[in-house]
């Protein structure tokens, strides 16, 4: 991976974020990477390799940056543990995730290990009350509602 490749891919993502008003996923993916590094060095190494060998080249070669980053988020979640990825619409109804993600959907990875929290894959610009409740319950493990939009 070259610095030039990384810089070009970052510019393309920044442009897509500016056009769409979407949230930048890199912040919560960095958290997932730190957790992987601490918990499973082999999975972390796979995630880093995927970043340099698949994600960045795909964006520079013309893939939609937002869709490519969401798929990277799914990769990080799968490396954390097997499970299924779902998309929650504004009403809170879930459906199996299908690429590309609808930007208004909350995308979560639900681990097969039911004691593990759900992992954030994709976050809409603003969460509806139903999405916020799902996020608080499944990701944060909280049974009290927070204000919408505080993700």
């Amino acid at each position: 991976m070259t610095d030039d490749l990384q810089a070009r891919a970052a510019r393309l993502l920044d442009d897509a974020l500016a056009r769409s008003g979407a949230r930048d996923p890199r912040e919560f993916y960095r958290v997932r990477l730190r957790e992987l590094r601490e918990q499973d060095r082999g999975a972390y190494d796979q995630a880093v390799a995927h970043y340099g060998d698949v994600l960045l080249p795909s964006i520079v070669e013309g893939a939609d940056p937002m869709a490519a980053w969401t798929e990277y988020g799914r990769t990080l979640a799968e490396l954390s543990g097997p499970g299924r990825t779902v998309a929650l619409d504004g009403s809170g109804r879930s459906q199996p995730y299908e690429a590309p993600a609808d930007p208004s959907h909350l995308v979560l990875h639900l681990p097969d290990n039911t004691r593990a929290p759900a992992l954030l894959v994709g976050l809409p610009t603003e969460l509806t009350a139903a999405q916020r409740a799902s996020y608080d319950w499944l990701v944060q493990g909280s049974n009290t509602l927070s204000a919408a939009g505080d993700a």
Side-chain angles (χ1 to χ4, degrees):
M1 166 179 56
T2 68
D3 289 341
D4 182 53
L5 180 68
Q6 191 168 4
R8 287 188 297 159
R11 275 193 307 275
L12 291 167
L13 176 62
D14 290 340
D15 291 346
L17 290 169
R19 281 191 310 276
S20 69
R23 293 185 189 210
D24 189 336
R26 293 173 288 193
E27 179 183 328
F28 45 91
Y29 294 160
R30 284 185 193 109
V31 171
R32 175 77 37 239
L33 274 170
R34 280 192 296 273
E35 291 170 354
L36 275 176
R37 186 179 59 220
E38 293 168 5
Q39 297 167 359
D40 184 342
R41 187 59 189 217
Y44 171 79
D45 291 342
Q46 288 178 2
V48 170
H50 188 91
Y51 174 82
D53 298 341
V54 177
L55 175 65
L56 297 181
S58 73
I59 293 171
V60 169
E61 293 168 6
D64 172 40
M66 298 302 297
W69 272 96
T70 300
E71 288 304 309
Y72 183 63
R74 289 187 69 226
T75 298
L76 293 175
E78 283 291 333
L79 287 169
S80 297
R84 62 189 175 97
T85 304
V86 298
L88 285 77
D89 66 17
S91 73
R93 288 193 176 171
S94 73
Q95 61 225 13
Y97 168 81
E98 291 184 20
D102 181 316
S104 69
H105 287 182
L106 172 63
V107 181
L108 300 175
H109 177 78
L110 304 176
D112 289 344
N113 174 359
T114 57
R115 292 184 177 199
L119 301 174
L120 181 61
V121 174
L123 196 59
T125 303
E126 288 192 39
L127 293 170
T128 65
Q131 289 170 328
R132 165 52 68 189
S134 297
Y135 177 87
D136 287 347
W137 180 262
L138 297 170
V139 177
Q140 299 292 348
S142 172
N143 59 4
T144 58
L145 296 177
S146 59
D150 289 345

